[in-house]
Amino acid sequence: MGDDASARSIEPRAWQAVLEHLERKLLDGDLAPGDRLPGERQLATDLGVGRSSVREALRVLEVLGLIRTHAGSGPTAGAIIIATPGGGMSALMRLQVAANGFPVDDIVATRLLLEAHVAGDLAAATAPDLGAAERLLDAMDDTGLDPAEFLALDAAFHLALAEASGNQVVTATMAGLRSGIEGYALAGHARIADWAGTSARLRAEHRGVLDAIRAADATAARTRIHDHISGYYAEISPDPRLP
Amino acid sequence: MGDDASARSIEPRAWQAVLEHLERKLLDGDLAPGDRLPGERQLATDLGVGRSSVREALRVLEVLGLIRTHAGSGPTAGAIIIATPGGGMSALMRLQVAANGFPVDDIVATRLLLEAHVAGDLAAATAPDLGAAERLLDAMDDTGLDPAEFLALDAAFHLALAEASGNQVVTATMAGLRSGIEGYALAGHARIADWAGTSARLRAEHRGVLDAIRAADATAARTRIHDHISGYYAEISPDPRLP
DNA sequence: GCCGGGCCTGTGGTCAGACCACAGGGTACC
DNA sequence: GGTACCCTGTGGTCTGACCACAGGCCCGGC
């Protein structure tokens, strides 16, 4: 197992070898969040590949949210390991939706089940931290917001609920799901005739969800968040179910 | 909508420009699954960037499961758009787990909630297609399987249930979750003293889940799949809850 | 006329070298 | 002692070149 040169002898893709090398380093604990990767030129000579191949692997890691690169010099320069899955998940969902790999309906359905679960969990928790969510709701009370700003705060509110649940996988997934249908949700607001009324309803529904969580009423929390999300998408859906 | 360059008028990263160009093409319908992308050199001259930058973008798309590249000539050569989110999700989850961005516990918890939902949905469905799942269970009845083979079939069974639910997002996510903890699950089987007994129990639990689905008993289906998964991970967990 | 092997072309895959912008740190000058 | 400069090393990009590959084409033999 200590020899990774033998396996690489039949490795057709150089950039994949770099990726596997770094994954191994991560699994072995040789690299951890906060650490700086060796320079691109160093990695290239160490692994016996060209710098372009190293860069392709690093690009993948960057998009996946594994590293953050910074030019220049000093302690903040170079490629630094971060583990922020939200960005990678968002890119993945967004592109898959663009390529028709993910139907919007499936995205919404997954959002529904995840958020209902989160809401139920929070209601069952002893003392969930809803501070961030409440501050976002306060910010959304500003009636001077345009729809884009309102929807951005709405997304942040739903994400804050996921973060309060403490499950990082669910949080990242929900961030990705939201990104995947962000364009859809934004384009859909134009379909709403009475935006003032709709936004007022959304505000009230948000408060209702928080109230149910605070009251430790898991069933109500689940129902309310479910109806809240499905109601909005039904409203912006071009033609839900005619026949 | 025609102008999204306003937010970031100047694009410092060339590969990102390529990515955005291709995403736009996908959203506009100029590119669809099955289509062939222009050659790397062509894209480079079209967008006014170097071929390296194009390749970095294509590498990202390949890892994310958006395209499949093939050298040579003919209709199968070049970069072809596919939309297979499973691969990208798997890479993302695997690397995030390696970088400690995703705790194993959160992965398992997410699996639990997704699979419970899937099982409940299938039980509520009128005529779910459980053929693939049943065939996998039959294959798992072979007592000559070694643990790795057994676990691979187990993963395929759970994935087949997700596919039967029809939600592609859930299917891809579950594939990713499974990949993320594949190493963990494989290493954990060594911790099980009585593998024959455990595998027999797992077989019985699988059948029980299918039975509940066929009986349209959503509650039982949810409970059984939940207990099935959490039971296995509790068994391979090194030290569940000592203090 | 038919068939087969070799060349041709275009593809992705990789490498090497060069240049740029950037940012920190050391140094020489004031 | 303070400040402006250069030096160094980083990622970011481009260019050009070569390779392996695979289908299509042409030409020769049968």
Side-chain angles (χ1 to χ4, degrees):
Chain A
M1 182 104 69
D3 180 15
D4 63 336
S6 57
R8 196 170 54 248
S9 59
I10 50 169
E11 190 63 57
R13 289 183 244 278
W15 61 271
Q16 232 168 13
V18 179
L19 221 47
E20 287 171 10
H21 170 81
L22 292 175
E23 183 178 356
R24 174 75 55 89
K25 286 277 206 181
L26 285 168
L27 287 172
D28 290 352
D30 295 339
L31 288 174
D35 290 354
R36 268 215 314 286
L37 263 61
E40 298 177 351
R41 297 161 179 86
Q42 186 66 42
L43 266 176
T45 58
D46 285 356
L47 299 178
V49 300
R51 195 180 158 214
S52 338
S53 303
V54 172
R55 297 203 93 247
E56 291 181 15
L58 293 184
R59 202 60 51 227
V60 169
L61 292 179
E62 183 175 346
V63 171
L64 257 43
L66 261 292
I67 63 174
R68 170 193 70 81
T69 64
H70 216 276
S73 154
T76 74
I80 297 183
I81 298 188
I82 57 177
T84 54
M89 202 69 92
S90 296
L92 175 56
M93 300 272 187
R94 207 159 31 82
L95 287 166
Q96 286 291 348
V97 170
N100 301 314
F102 277 162
V104 172
D105 284 353
D106 286 4
I107 298 256
V108 174
T110 310
R111 260 196 80 186
L112 281 174
L113 84 90
L114 282 183
E115 300 220 28
H117 181 90
V118 163
D121 261 14
L122 288 176
T126 53
D129 179 16
L130 303 175
E134 269 182 280
R135 277 189 295 278
L136 285 164
L137 287 193
D138 290 342
M140 291 173 79
D141 282 340
D142 180 358
T143 54
L145 298 171
D146 64 44
E149 292 170 329
F150 184 89
L151 289 177
L153 288 172
D154 177 280
F157 166 73
H158 287 270
L159 206 57
L161 289 184
E163 277 167 9
S165 83
N167 188 321
Q168 301 188 38
V169 176
V170 170
T171 302
T173 305
M174 272 183 44
L177 293 174
R178 177 73 196 206
S179 294
I181 52 177
E182 193 170 37
Y184 181 80
L186 262 174
H189 100 267
R191 216 178 293 278
I192 298 177
D194 178 18
W195 171 252
T198 295
S199 59
R201 176 175 59 78
L202 296 177
R203 286 189 188 93
E205 289 174 351
H206 286 155
R207 299 284 183 189
V209 170
L210 275 197
D211 288 345
I213 292 174
R214 271 198 227 87
D217 188 345
T219 304
R222 272 194 290 268
T223 304
R224 289 182 184 176
I225 195 87
H226 179 283
D227 293 349
H228 165 64
I229 298 174
S230 61
Y232 180 71
Y233 283 107
E235 191 160 1
I236 68 173
S237 178
D239 208 50
R241 213 152 301 274
L242 260 203
Chain B
M1 175 95 93
D3 180 16
D4 68 334
S6 56
R8 36 191 191 287
S9 54
I10 47 172
E11 192 61 57
R13 288 182 245 273
W15 61 271
Q16 231 168 11
V18 179
L19 222 46
E20 287 172 9
H21 170 81
L22 292 175
E23 184 178 356
R24 172 78 55 88
K25 286 278 204 181
L26 285 168
L27 287 172
D28 290 350
D30 295 338
L31 288 174
D35 290 353
R36 266 215 322 282
L37 264 61
E40 297 179 351
R41 297 161 177 85
Q42 186 66 41
L43 266 176
T45 58
D46 285 357
L47 299 178
V49 299
R51 186 154 85 112
S52 343
S53 302
V54 172
R55 298 203 90 246
E56 291 181 15
L58 293 184
R59 201 59 51 228
V60 169
L61 292 179
E62 181 175 347
V63 171
L64 257 44
L66 262 292
I67 63 173
R68 172 194 69 83
T69 64
H70 217 276
S73 154
T76 74
I80 296 182
I81 298 188
I82 57 176
T84 54
M89 202 68 93
S90 296
L92 175 56
M93 300 272 186
R94 208 158 32 82
L95 287 166
Q96 286 291 349
V97 169
N100 301 313
F102 277 163
V104 172
D105 284 353
D106 286 3
I107 298 257
V108 175
T110 310
R111 261 197 78 186
L112 281 174
L113 84 90
L114 282 183
E115 300 219 30
H117 181 89
V118 162
D121 262 13
L122 287 176
T126 53
D129 178 17
L130 303 175
E134 269 182 282
R135 277 188 295 277
L136 285 164
L137 288 192
D138 291 342
M140 291 171 79
D141 282 339
D142 180 359
T143 53
L145 297 171
D146 63 45
E149 293 169 329
F150 184 88
L151 289 177
L153 287 172
D154 177 280
F157 166 72
H158 287 270
L159 207 57
L161 288 184
E163 277 167 8
S165 83
N167 188 321
Q168 301 187 36
V169 177
V170 170
T171 303
T173 305
M174 271 183 44
L177 293 174
R178 177 72 195 207
S179 294
I181 51 176
E182 193 169 36
Y184 182 80
L186 262 174
H189 101 266
R191 215 178 294 278
I192 298 176
D194 179 18
W195 171 252
T198 295
S199 59
R201 177 174 58 78
L202 295 177
R203 285 189 189 93
E205 289 174 350
H206 286 157
R207 298 285 183 188
V209 169
L210 275 196
D211 288 344
I213 291 175
R214 269 198 228 86
D217 187 344
T219 303
R222 271 193 291 267
T223 304
R224 288 181 186 177
I225 195 88
H226 180 283
D227 293 348
H228 165 64
I229 298 173
S230 62
Y232 181 71
Y233 283 107
E235 191 161 1
I236 67 173
S237 176
D239 209 47
R241 213 153 300 275
L242 258 202

